[in-house]
Amino acid sequence: MLSVSESAASDRASLLASLAAAVGERQIVSGDNLGRYNNDWTGDHRGLALAVVRARGIEDVAATIRWCHTHGVPLVPQGGHTGLVAGGTPTASGNEVVLSLELMNKVREIDPVNGVAIVEAGCVLADLKEAVDKAGAYFPLSIGSQGSCQIGGAISTNAGGINVVRYGMTRALVMGLEVVLPDGQVYRDLRGLHKNNTGYDLKQMFIGAEGTLGVVTAAAVKIVPKPTQVETLFLATSSTPAVIELFRRIRTDSGDLISGFELMGAPSIELVCATEPNIRNPLSAIYPAYAIVELSASGGPAIKPWLDTYLATLMEEGLVLDGVIAQNQAQVAEIWALREGIVESQARFGAYLRTDISTAISAVARFIERGTEAVEALVPGARCLPYGHVGDGNLHFNVIRPMNMTPEEFAPLIHKIEDELFTIVDEFGGSISAEHGIGLAKRHAFEARLEDVPRRLMQTLKQTLDPRNIMNPGRILS
Amino acid sequence: MLSVSESAASDRASLLASLAAAVGERQIVSGDNLGRYNNDWTGDHRGLALAVVRARGIEDVAATIRWCHTHGVPLVPQGGHTGLVAGGTPTASGNEVVLSLELMNKVREIDPVNGVAIVEAGCVLADLKEAVDKAGAYFPLSIGSQGSCQIGGAISTNAGGINVVRYGMTRALVMGLEVVLPDGQVYRDLRGLHKNNTGYDLKQMFIGAEGTLGVVTAAAVKIVPKPTQVETLFLATSSTPAVIELFRRIRTDSGDLISGFELMGAPSIELVCATEPNIRNPLSAIYPAYAIVELSASGGPAIKPWLDTYLATLMEEGLVLDGVIAQNQAQVAEIWALREGIVESQARFGAYLRTDISTAISAVARFIERGTEAVEALVPGARCLPYGHVGDGNLHFNVIRPMNMTPEEFAPLIHKIEDELFTIVDEFGGSISAEHGIGLAKRHAFEARLEDVPRRLMQTLKQTLDPRNIMNPGRILS
């Protein structure tokens, strides 16, 4: 007679054998080799997969899904595991099969005249950007994780990033998809048409669905002319409202040249300059709020001469107190390092609150004021670091521990601060997840504020498309 | 005992009385006053409604839908009845209730800083554009019917038009919707957030669904800075491929300044100049193919000086054979009249074939060549007039009768030509309806080429959301 754990181990072995028979022994990773598939890059989410299937093509994806469907085994589609909400990593249950798309990584076709590239889901974003660049065009999705994240994951999470203000979220860049549905059938439209009003636009269902309605295996994505003029500015202002006013002004006055517009509060700039030895503030004084602005164009009238005059006007008016325009690539890198360094800076203080909220652009400054007051009242001395894509109304309103508190003392307060900030987000009619998605990590907060009608619609969609609930179950909806 | 027709009349009267009780007598139009609600503007589609409900607000919409749900009566949501595929007009059955949104026409809010306007579905597009203009911004949806069409109809058909090349289809402009579902419940998200990745993006289902999944009652739409520099060009080239190459060149070289790019073949220009006394070709000779190009920006570096030099380069290279840049509003109007006049010109020859196809932009020239050959082989002397939004791969490849044929002789051949062209569209992996939708008029051609998996997904969506099949039944899907 087998003990309970021996029985479980035997079940597990027979499941693995059956899976191997279905998709081929060589495609299966199990046991000690699961490490890098179990965890996301933050280390916040550590799971344990039953096995990983590394699909070589759509047939392997379909075979895996059919096998999961037959055996009632949950499937977790996985891209570059760079997500921030535990949407693409297994739970610790040991019962989920991870489907890795990493071997399906070809750029199949690039047509710069049509403005479309056809790419497999496992292609690393940076590789796609490079291939498109070599073809003389530009793929305008730029996110911190682009060296690791895969295009299938970007599509499944409707990724954002710094170019959204100009080119939209990933959804706006998807012109067609190939998706294996929860029953193993394939929906495919990779024709790359810019306009097509024939029936329901089915691809929309799978974009941002975090792998809960099917597995994206390939996509037709929009590519655009390559920017040949790029101007990067670091501008200081008197306040957050002044940064928002600056956004309004530059957006109106520049003629859609803005391709990036990031807010950095003084605390963020001070922190990053204090903690990162290689990062310095290019301005000699400290100001209340800063903007990193990128203007770009693929040609057309010269930006630089106009910009020099325009910036002088903004300074005469007093809207910009001080500022620099990068004169070379080193200075461009220096400016962006201020933004990118913040991630590492924050982590130096131990556990901290990371949020990804959005409000109307016109409400961002008021939100920061209200949020900062609320955090100060809750945890005096906690340092608020609101920064991010204010050109889209999207803030990473992060909070690190007070100087007089240890990381251990601060850790239990993080969720309380998050709750408080999310309540203010609700008051502002904002979103608690602007670009990161829901996954497992934000599901509780999401479902707590999900109204009846959208809840019913989402549940209906899920149940109709995935009646056995095998596709990334528990992510987004419980 | 009642005769059959008396019995039907009595049923009808009792249905009308019940409807009036549900939504209020004053909101009902019936009998002789139905005229303008029964027909679309082309006159191609003439129907007969049971009654029209003119909703004053969302409560009337919900009451009407609930009544239709209870009584199993089909509902046809109607905007400005400017559609081209019989999607918003009743059939001749006399059994359908038309729901007019024309009284729900307010622009509720305009926030230029956030870049969002909140508008009711019945607002005429031109009225919305004007209100946004007064607020100092621009709503970038520009279509021929904008003086009559309503924003709810534009959303429900995912309307296109001349600005798509810059700003995308209507879908790209919708940031939130208020929709009454087929069971009378309301889905609402009018927060106007630029970024929000919390669960499935439900609004996408209703955009372009032609009123078959619910009735759009209000929307949050994207508004952008108002163009302050607009340059309009009429350029002559040696061939259609040269026009496509010109698009590629200007798109790359101008830095996303293109806000319109229309192809006009020589036959279209000759026809419109020959038939419309007030329209003239601003160029002195006839060339094989033309482009109307609009470049615009809301500010930024001056376009005109750059453009003068750039156009000279294109002419030196021989890509542009001749051309004009409009110097004033009268000349702008003169250039666009060439494009807009074509609709009336064609109609002067009696029944003609009107299509709305798309292919990859890189395939447009080959499509025109193949299509023209095929039409010539089928009906010698028939005149092909391919023109349209080639910056999006979208052609109105229209065909008028040969000079030696009467309209009556030509009429029965129209469907044969359409079939032939649609077969070529299929070979090119194109779309038979790029921007007009399916409605009743294109349903047969659409369903004939709908593959099993998308058919099943579309039917599932429809049946799940509208199990009684009351929402615009028979449109898109039979």
Side-chain angles (χ1 to χ4, degrees):
Chain A
M1 201 172 160
L2 293 170
S3 72
V4 172
S5 65
E6 279 168 333
S7 151
S10 147
D11 284 357
R12 197 182 185 81
S14 90
L15 270 177
L16 282 175
S18 155
L19 178 61
V23 297
E25 187 101 42
R26 289 187 51 206
Q27 303 319 119
I28 311 283
V29 181
S30 64
D32 293 345
N33 300 317
L34 288 174
R36 74 187 186 89
Y37 301 96
N38 281 333
N39 310 319
D40 69 355
W41 72 272
T42 61
D44 289 355
H45 306 288
R46 298 181 174 276
L48 177 65
L50 170 66
V52 173
V53 176
R54 300 170 81 223
R56 290 157 305 184
I58 194 167
E59 300 73 21
D60 288 349
V61 175
T64 308
I65 291 181
R66 281 195 302 267
W67 183 88
C68 288
H69 191 266
T70 304
H71 294 80
V73 172
L75 183 78
V76 180
Q78 187 173 84
H81 30 113
T82 60
L84 292 164
V85 292
T89 42
T91 62
S93 69
N95 294 331
E96 296 178 333
V97 168
V98 167
L99 178 65
S100 168
L101 282 293
E102 64 191 344
L103 301 181
M104 295 173 63
N105 58 5
K106 285 193 196 58
V107 179
R108 291 187 195 159
E109 190 189 321
I110 298 176
D111 179 349
V113 178
N114 193 33
V116 174
I118 313 291
V119 59
E120 294 178 354
C123 182
V124 168
L125 175 52
D127 295 342
L128 172 60
K129 287 172 80 86
E130 194 185 327
V132 171
D133 182 77
K134 280 188 184 150
Y138 180 62
F139 181 58
L141 175 63
S142 302
I143 55 183
S145 58
Q146 64 195 34
S148 312
C149 82
Q150 296 167 13
I151 190 67
I155 290 168
S156 295
T157 56
N158 188 28
I162 62 161
N163 287 154
V164 171
V165 64
R166 170 82 152 267
Y167 299 101
M169 303 281 280
T170 301
R171 184 181 301 279
L173 304 175
V174 175
M175 301 181 60
L177 287 181
E178 179 186 79
V179 181
V180 184
L181 302 174
D183 60 4
Q185 293 204 58
V186 177
Y187 164 73
R188 181 184 290 120
D189 181 358
L190 296 176
R191 293 176 293 170
L193 299 173
H194 289 262
K195 290 169 92 171
N196 179 22
N197 272 349
T198 53
Y200 308 146
D201 189 359
L202 297 169
K203 67 177 177 289
Q204 303 296 341
M205 288 198 293
F206 306 103
I207 301 168
E210 302 187 25
T212 63
L213 300 178
V215 177
V216 171
T217 50
V221 296
K222 190 172 172 177
I223 60 178
V224 300
K226 198 189 294 194
T228 54
Q229 304 186 66
V230 181
E231 300 295 340
T232 307
L233 297 85
F234 184 63
L235 305 177
T237 72
S238 62
S239 65
T240 315
V243 171
I244 302 300
E245 171 59 10
L246 187 62
F247 170 69
R248 190 194 69 75
R249 278 293 299 277
I250 302 183
R251 174 131 165 77
T252 303
D253 297 341
S254 77
D256 289 349
L257 291 176
I258 296 182
S259 49
F261 195 102
E262 301 285 312
L263 164 76
M264 303 286 294
S268 304
I269 294 294
E270 287 179 55
L271 184 80
V272 76
C273 293
T275 58
E276 310 306 312
N278 299 320
I279 298 180
R280 66 174 203 96
N281 184 342
L283 305 179
S284 49
I286 287 291
Y287 297 92
Y290 302 84
I292 296 174
V293 186
E294 187 188 86
L295 305 181
S296 64
S298 69
I303 299 175
K304 190 63 169 46
W306 169 84
L307 184 59
D308 286 337
T309 310
Y310 180 64
L311 184 56
T313 310
L314 294 176
M315 292 183 78
E316 271 164 36
E317 289 178 16
L319 186 54
V320 171
L321 301 179
D322 197 359
V324 290
I325 304 177
Q327 300 299 322
N328 52 48
Q329 275 308 309
Q331 290 180 6
V332 170
E334 188 171 286
I335 291 174
W336 281 110
L338 291 161
R339 170 69 174 81
E340 285 148 16
I342 192 77
V343 178
E344 217 160 314
S345 276
Q346 295 168 145
R348 292 182 190 276
F349 294 83
Y352 68 101
L353 173 64
R354 188 170 54 214
T355 72
D356 166 42
I357 67 97
S358 72
T359 66
I361 300 169
S362 44
V364 164
R366 274 185 293 128
F367 179 86
I368 291 176
E369 193 184 349
R370 278 275 285 119
T372 305
E373 281 168 15
V375 172
E376 179 61 29
L378 199 64
V379 183
R383 285 173 291 170
C384 294
L385 302 169
Y387 64 90
H389 319 298
V390 289
D392 317 308
N394 180 193
L395 279 183
H396 301 303
F397 191 114
N398 296 352
V399 185
I400 61 175
R401 64 178 166 83
M403 297 304 274
N404 62 357
M405 223 179 237
T406 65
E408 293 68 32
E409 287 167 334
F410 184 62
L413 300 172
I414 291 178
H415 272 293
K416 282 189 190 159
I417 302 176
E418 185 182 66
D419 282 350
E420 182 71 18
L421 285 175
F422 282 4
T423 303
I424 301 172
V425 169
D426 294 342
E427 286 168 21
F428 276 72
S431 168
I432 62 160
S433 190
E435 57 176 13
H436 293 169
I438 300 299
L440 282 174
K442 287 193 183 163
R443 194 186 69 191
H444 178 75
F446 167 59
E447 290 191 320
R449 34 185 61 76
L450 187 57
E451 288 172 11
D452 280 350
V453 173
R455 180 195 308 272
R456 188 171 54 85
L457 284 171
M458 288 187 200
Q459 283 171 343
T460 300
L461 263 182
K462 172 69 175 171
Q463 283 159 12
T464 305
L465 283 173
D466 182 22
R468 298 208 61 179
N469 195 27
I470 58 161
M471 297 301 308
N472 225 4
R475 281 71 173 184
I476 300 182
L477 297 168
S478 55
Chain B
M1 198 173 163
L2 293 170
S3 72
V4 173
S5 66
E6 280 169 333
S7 153
S10 148
D11 284 357
R12 195 182 185 84
S14 90
L15 270 176
L16 282 175
S18 156
L19 178 61
V23 296
E25 186 102 41
R26 288 186 52 204
Q27 303 320 117
I28 311 284
V29 181
S30 64
D32 293 344
N33 300 318
L34 288 173
R36 73 187 186 88
Y37 301 96
N38 281 333
N39 310 319
D40 68 356
W41 72 273
T42 60
D44 290 355
H45 307 288
R46 298 181 173 277
L48 177 66
L50 170 65
V52 173
V53 177
R54 299 171 79 223
R56 289 158 306 184
I58 193 166
E59 300 73 21
D60 287 349
V61 174
T64 308
I65 291 181
R66 280 195 302 268
W67 183 88
C68 287
H69 191 266
T70 305
H71 294 81
V73 171
L75 183 78
V76 179
Q78 186 173 85
H81 31 112
T82 59
L84 291 165
V85 294
T89 42
T91 63
S93 68
N95 294 331
E96 296 177 332
V97 168
V98 167
L99 177 66
S100 169
L101 282 292
E102 65 191 343
L103 300 180
M104 295 174 64
N105 59 5
K106 283 193 197 59
V107 179
R108 291 188 195 158
E109 190 189 321
I110 298 177
D111 180 348
V113 177
N114 193 33
V116 174
I118 313 290
V119 59
E120 294 178 354
C123 182
V124 169
L125 175 52
D127 295 342
L128 173 60
K129 288 173 79 88
E130 195 185 328
V132 171
D133 182 77
K134 279 187 183 150
Y138 180 63
F139 181 59
L141 175 63
S142 303
I143 55 183
S145 59
Q146 63 195 35
S148 312
C149 82
Q150 296 167 13
I151 189 68
I155 290 168
S156 295
T157 56
N158 188 28
I162 62 161
N163 287 153
V164 171
V165 64
R166 171 82 152 267
Y167 300 101
M169 303 281 280
T170 300
R171 183 181 301 278
L173 304 173
V174 175
M175 300 181 61
L177 287 182
E178 180 185 79
V179 180
V180 184
L181 302 175
D183 60 4
Q185 294 204 61
V186 176
Y187 164 74
R188 180 185 290 119
D189 181 357
L190 297 176
R191 293 175 292 169
L193 298 173
H194 289 261
K195 290 168 92 171
N196 179 23
N197 273 348
T198 53
Y200 307 146
D201 189 358
L202 297 169
K203 67 176 178 289
Q204 302 297 341
M205 288 199 293
F206 306 103
I207 302 168
E210 302 186 26
T212 63
L213 300 178
V215 177
V216 172
T217 50
V221 296
K222 189 173 174 179
I223 60 177
V224 300
K226 197 191 293 195
T228 54
Q229 305 186 65
V230 181
E231 300 295 339
T232 308
L233 296 84
F234 184 64
L235 305 177
T237 71
S238 61
S239 65
T240 316
V243 171
I244 301 302
E245 170 60 10
L246 186 63
F247 170 70
R248 189 194 69 76
R249 278 293 299 278
I250 302 182
R251 176 133 164 74
T252 304
D253 297 342
S254 77
D256 289 349
L257 291 176
I258 295 182
S259 50
F261 196 102
E262 300 285 313
L263 164 75
M264 303 285 294
S268 303
I269 293 294
E270 286 179 56
L271 184 79
V272 76
C273 293
T275 59
E276 309 306 310
N278 299 320
I279 299 179
R280 66 174 202 97
N281 184 342
L283 304 179
S284 48
I286 288 293
Y287 297 92
Y290 303 84
I292 296 175
V293 185
E294 186 187 85
L295 305 180
S296 64
S298 70
I303 299 175
K304 189 62 169 47
W306 170 83
L307 183 59
D308 287 337
T309 310
Y310 181 63
L311 184 55
T313 310
L314 293 176
M315 292 183 78
E316 271 165 36
E317 289 179 16
L319 187 54
V320 171
L321 301 179
D322 197 359
V324 290
I325 305 177
Q327 301 298 322
N328 52 49
Q329 275 308 309
Q331 291 179 4
V332 170
E334 188 172 284
I335 290 173
W336 281 109
L338 291 162
R339 169 69 174 82
E340 284 149 15
I342 192 78
V343 178
E344 218 161 312
S345 276
Q346 294 167 146
R348 291 182 191 275
F349 294 83
Y352 68 100
L353 174 64
R354 188 171 54 215
T355 72
D356 167 42
I357 66 97
S358 72
T359 67
I361 299 169
S362 44
V364 164
R366 274 185 293 126
F367 179 86
I368 291 176
E369 193 183 350
R370 279 273 285 120
T372 306
E373 281 167 14
V375 172
E376 178 61 28
L378 199 64
V379 183
R383 283 173 293 169
C384 294
L385 302 168
Y387 66 90
H389 319 299
V390 289
D392 317 308
N394 180 192
L395 279 183
H396 301 303
F397 192 113
N398 296 353
V399 184
I400 60 175
R401 66 176 164 85
M403 297 304 273
N404 62 357
M405 224 179 237
T406 65
E408 292 67 32
E409 287 167 334
F410 185 61
L413 301 172
I414 290 178
H415 272 292
K416 283 190 189 157
I417 302 176
E418 185 181 68
D419 282 350
E420 182 71 18
L421 286 174
F422 282 4
T423 304
I424 302 171
V425 169
D426 295 341
E427 286 168 22
F428 275 71
S431 168
I432 62 160
S433 191
E435 57 176 13
H436 292 169
I438 300 298
L440 281 174
K442 287 194 183 162
R443 194 186 71 191
H444 178 74
F446 166 58
E447 290 192 317
R449 35 185 61 77
L450 188 56
E451 288 171 12
D452 279 351
V453 173
R455 179 196 308 272
R456 188 170 56 84
L457 285 171
M458 289 187 199
Q459 283 171 342
T460 300
L461 264 181
K462 172 69 175 171
Q463 283 159 10
T464 306
L465 284 173
D466 181 21
R468 297 208 61 180
N469 195 27
I470 58 161
M471 296 301 307
N472 224 4
R475 281 72 173 183
I476 299 182
L477 297 167
S478 55

